[in-house]
Amino acid sequence: MDPESRTNGTTVTEFILLGLVETPGLQPVVFVVFLFAYLVTVGGNLSILAAILVEPKLHTPMYFFLGNLSVLDVGCITVTVPSMLARLLSHKRTVPYRACLTQIFFFHLLAGVDCFLLTAMAYDRFLAICRPLTYSTQMSQTVQKILVAVSWALAFTNALTHTVAIATLNFCGPNVINHFYCDLPQLFQLSCSSTQLNELLLFAVGFIMAGTPLALIITSYAHVAAAVLRIRSAEGRKKAFSTCGSHLTVVGIFYGTGVFSYMRLGSVEASDKDKGIGILNTVISPMLNPLIYSLRNPDVQGALWQVLTGKRALA
């Protein structure tokens, strides 16, 4: 037994992740589909990042935050999918105790930064539409960097808190996780210790980490909607709403899947629904973000064309 495991009472030194499918015949299909999703997500997000870097028109606060979001999306899918693909290749479903906790830490770190960055993007839209005269001073490069740095600091504190809290629990019984990555709700169900305090901590910190940013996003967009409705020209209203539509779509997907994942701690068993939500959270959402942001944005499309072909798009 691991000496570290003995000190905290844990006898489980590794967990068994059941993965997405237990039928051997379906595993190659899952491997190909998720490898493709991973490559598309990484390629799409890095293309958006490259487009933002090469196109001077995109050197604005909104695209600075979007570039950071693209890096986070690559990180988020990298925390979960490659290890799942490696297990499918090796046919080894075990994950060491420490590796499981490390995955939880990085997953919550990146998801936490995502939360705050989406809030910063909503604040940016609020300033751009409701306070256009003071926008350049209120959203200066220094302010942008401070918002990103504070996002990382708060998310790091949150991730470390949860990781330390779950490391205090004892795991002495079953070690089978009905999922394709390690996360808090699944480990709570396997612990021999009482998880009441951990669940309370998850709800309390979750309220601060997700509830507060969501309230700020809703407040920002309430002001934005009121300002846009005061614009007399239909074209002006359409342009203002189009800059917010992509962001609101991403916020809806991110918070919708997040709330469903962590507000169902009362379930007795981890179900296939949890796996579905996990796929939405860690794979589909990061894969869709580049598409959502580039679909109706000619500036991003032009910059992407330049990145992919080396030529400027025709005006």
Side-chain angles (χ1 to χ4, degrees):
M1 195 201 320
D2 191 327
E4 187 181 315
S5 298
R6 199 182 290 115
T7 56
N8 71 1
T10 294
T11 55
V12 169
T13 57
E14 59 184 20
F15 294 101
I16 297 167
L17 288 167
L18 293 183
L20 287 171
V21 289
E22 292 185 62
T23 313
L26 288 176
Q27 288 178 0
V29 178
V30 170
F31 181 87
V32 171
V33 168
F34 276 80
L35 178 61
F36 176 75
Y38 181 71
L39 294 174
V40 167
T41 303
V42 172
N45 280 289
L46 292 183
S47 298
I48 287 280
L49 188 60
I52 291 166
L53 292 171
V54 303
E55 178 53 72
K57 275 187 190 176
L58 302 181
H59 294 171
T60 64
M62 181 171 77
Y63 292 107
F64 171 73
F65 293 128
L66 179 56
N68 278 275
L69 198 66
S70 294
V71 173
L72 284 175
D73 284 338
V74 170
C76 214
I77 195 169
T78 301
V79 165
T80 56
V81 171
S83 57
M84 182 192 82
L85 295 176
R87 282 192 298 275
L88 283 171
L89 269 184
S90 64
H91 303 290
K92 187 182 174 186
R93 298 191 296 182
T94 57
V95 57
Y97 173 81
R98 276 185 178 182
C100 200
L101 263 57
T102 302
Q103 188 175 53
I104 286 172
F105 172 78
F106 281 105
F107 179 72
H108 283 268
L109 171 66
L110 295 168
V113 181
D114 225 327
C115 254
F116 291 114
L117 264 188
L118 290 172
T119 311
M121 290 170 84
Y123 178 59
D124 172 71
R125 291 299 81 208
F126 163 74
L127 290 179
I129 293 168
C130 303
R131 305 277 189 273
L133 298 177
T134 56
Y135 176 66
S136 56
T137 52
Q138 287 188 294
M139 192 49 81
S140 63
Q141 285 194 357
T142 305
V143 172
Q144 294 166 44
K145 288 171 186 172
I146 288 171
L147 285 170
V148 171
V150 168
S151 298
W152 278 97
L154 290 171
F156 177 84
T157 306
N158 171 62
L160 190 63
T161 302
H162 286 308
T163 310
V164 170
I166 203 152
T168 63
L169 296 179
N170 296 328
F171 296 94
C172 51
N175 65 339
V176 178
I177 299 172
N178 185 20
H179 216 300
F180 64 97
Y181 64 90
C182 295
D183 203 2
L184 298 173
Q186 287 74 36
L187 287 192
F188 288 168
Q189 290 166 1
L190 297 181
S191 174
C192 323
S193 325
S194 167
T195 59
Q196 203 171 357
L197 283 174
N198 295 72
E199 291 183 20
L200 196 62
L201 181 70
L202 184 60
F203 277 113
V205 179
F207 181 78
I208 298 164
M209 288 289 296
T212 307
L214 186 59
L216 291 171
I217 290 169
I218 292 167
T219 304
S220 294
Y221 276 109
H223 284 94
V224 165
V228 170
L229 291 172
R230 286 198 295 268
I231 298 172
R232 289 182 183 179
S233 113
E235 188 61 34
R237 282 199 300 271
K238 186 181 173 186
K239 188 179 177 184
F241 271 131
S242 72
T243 63
C244 304
S246 303
H247 181 242
L248 281 172
T249 306
V250 171
V251 167
I253 294 170
F254 180 80
Y255 277 97
T257 55
V259 166
F260 194 85
S261 294
Y262 296 106
M263 295 301 127
R264 297 174 67 246
L265 292 177
S267 359
V268 181
E269 293 287 334
S271 67
D272 289 337
K273 282 182 185 175
D274 294 314
K275 294 182 190 179
I277 293 297
I279 293 169
L280 268 174
N281 233 346
T282 62
V283 181
I284 306 296
S285 183
M287 188 165 64
L288 285 179
N289 284 358
L291 185 65
I292 291 167
Y293 279 108
S294 61
L295 205 59
R296 294 174 62 193
N297 192 317
D299 289 337
V300 174
Q301 287 168 5
L304 280 172
W305 178 258
Q306 189 183 343
V307 167
L308 297 172
T309 64
K311 301 173 187 174
R312 278 201 171 273
L314 295 173

